[in-house]
Amino acid sequence: MILVTGASGQLGRLVIDNLLNTTPANQIIAAVRNPEKVADLAEKGIQVRQADYSDLDSLVTAMQGVEKVLLISSSEVGQRTAQHSNVIDAAKQTSVSLIAYTSILNADTSPLILAKEHVATENLLAESGVPYVLLRNGWYSENYTMGLAGALEHGVVGCAEDGKLSTAARTDYAEAAAAVLVKDEQAGKVYELAGDNAFTLNEYAAVISKVSGKTVAYQNVPEAELTKILVGVGLPEGFAAILADSEAGASKGGLFSDSKDLSTLIGRPTTSIEDSIKAAL
Ligand SMILES: NC(=O)c1ccc[n+]([C@@H]2O[C@H](COP(=O)([O-])OP(=O)(O)OC[C@H]3O[C@@H](n4cnc5c(N)ncnc54)[C@H](OP(=O)(O)O)[C@@H]3O)[C@@H](O)[C@H]2O)c1
């Protein structure tokens, strides 16, 4: 039995789609805080169990009879260490023999604020005694392509300077997670999951120009200015500051890696930024 947390989210859904290629639906458990959100998964024969990262008892109940858990990091930034600690405690109290955790690229050296909760979670896993494997996910290409309409109108704006971004499509990371969940002997492994071809934001703007036929430029702004711009387009201030910090971290190489773990796991090249732009367009 394989349990996927965050199964109502974008990554979780893609992981389950991929798992269905190798694993019978009745051996997959979708753990979600709101089962109504995944009625479609239940219709496919997947077991749906209610579990909230903030409710240890719900997690212990959901993990009954489970062998492997994919802990997809929570989206509630700031509460994640305590929430992930609950998931790890629940695994300790049940029969779980492997936790796969979606961490962040270069977690142990990353300058990004976002890395702190991931490092804390990696440490909790190391102390837990439960066998675990780390899936250190790089940036999703979708983090950029979801802003494509704005980029086509106003240009690409960021603070990553010439920092290289080794992004890959969300579906690439999902395929890798599903592969690890069905492979043997994964305990103790650390995968640095990154796109095969890194690019700067200047290069990103050039690819948008090539694909769209409209000239798009990159404008580098100070980190505080980027935060203001993101607040201006509707992001909450705390989240805007975290995103700007991540780009500033990228300028120091925090979102770059030349690891080929991702393409090796999925057995094909990662999705190029050009293909992600085409898909988004
Ligand atoms: N690598 C990157 O570029 C990148 C970018 C963004 C996020 N991330 C991280 O990767 C994770 C997965 O990405 P994603 O795109 O799938 O994010 P997403 O679509 O926002 O999904 C987040 C999932 O976490 C669940 N969740 C949040 N709080 C919970 C709680 N208290 N109890 C149980 N479940 C809870 C959500 O449940 P509901 O459906 O009930 O809300 C949802 O299923 C994110 O949560 C975040 O940690 C990575």
Side-chain angles (χ1 to χ4, degrees):
M1 297 295 289
I2 299 174
L3 180 144
V4 177
T5 72
S8 55
Q10 301 163 89
L11 183 69
R13 282 182 168 280
L14 290 167
V15 171
I16 288 179
D17 280 351
N18 278 288
L19 273 177
L20 284 169
N21 294 329
T22 56
T23 309
N26 65 3
Q27 290 174 24
I28 302 171
I29 300 168
V32 291
R33 57 180 162 177
N34 182 357
E36 283 167 22
K37 274 194 166 176
V38 292
D40 57 314
L41 297 182
E43 273 170 26
K44 286 182 187 164
I46 289 158
Q47 291 191 41
V48 176
R49 296 187 184 174
Q50 199 280 334
D52 190 309
Y53 290 139
S54 297
D55 177 356
L56 175 61
D57 290 345
S58 72
L59 291 159
V60 172
T61 304
M63 282 186 209
Q64 297 304 314
V66 169
E67 186 193 348
K68 295 178 183 179
V69 169
L70 175 63
L71 168 51
I72 292 187
S73 55
S74 169
S75 48
E76 298 182 321
V77 175
Q79 299 177 51
R80 298 194 288 185
T81 308
Q83 292 181 333
H84 298 167
S85 174
N86 283 335
V87 177
I88 296 163
D89 279 351
K92 263 161 71 175
Q93 291 178 38
T94 53
S95 54
V96 171
S97 58
L98 185 77
I99 300 176
Y101 172 62
T102 63
S103 185
I104 192 168
L105 188 65
N106 307 319
D108 41 3
T109 56
S110 177
L112 277 64
I113 287 173
L114 275 178
K116 288 188 179 162
E117 289 174 304
H118 289 295
V119 170
T121 304
E122 289 192 4
N123 290 338
L124 288 169
L125 283 164
E127 291 157 12
S128 72
V130 181
Y132 65 98
V133 46
L134 298 176
L135 307 170
R136 289 182 172 166
N137 285 353
W139 231 220
Y140 303 152
S141 298
E142 288 85 347
N143 295 348
Y144 286 105
T145 57
M146 71 185 177
L148 205 50
L152 282 165
E153 205 174 328
H154 309 292
V156 176
V157 181
C159 68
E161 298 178 17
D162 288 329
K164 282 194 172 272
L165 300 148
S166 303
T167 73
R170 198 186 259 106
T171 189
D172 297 339
Y173 298 106
E175 207 173 316
V180 164
L181 287 168
V182 297
K183 264 179 186 291
D184 292 331
E185 295 178 11
Q186 294 301 296
K189 291 195 183 288
V190 179
Y191 293 105
E192 296 286 353
L193 300 175
D196 290 337
N197 298 111
F199 55 88
T200 64
L201 287 184
N202 246 323
E203 289 164 346
Y204 174 59
V207 182
I208 298 175
S209 305
K210 179 183 151 201
V211 171
S212 69
K214 181 176 177 194
T215 302
V216 170
Y218 173 57
Q219 186 191 357
N220 199 77
V221 295
E223 182 180 340
E225 179 66 24
L226 182 61
T227 306
K228 269 193 209 158
I229 292 169
L230 293 172
V231 169
V233 297
L235 291 192
E237 184 143 9
F239 189 53
I242 284 174
L243 288 186
D245 169 81
S246 299
E247 279 223 343
S251 73
K252 300 172 195 140
L255 291 173
F256 170 78
S257 171
D258 57 10
S259 165
K260 295 292 175 273
D261 286 354
L262 182 50
S263 47
T264 303
L265 270 175
I266 63 182
R268 60 167 174 80
T270 60
T271 308
S272 68
I273 193 64
E274 181 165 339
D275 283 347
S276 290
I277 292 168
K278 283 180 183 159
L281 277 176

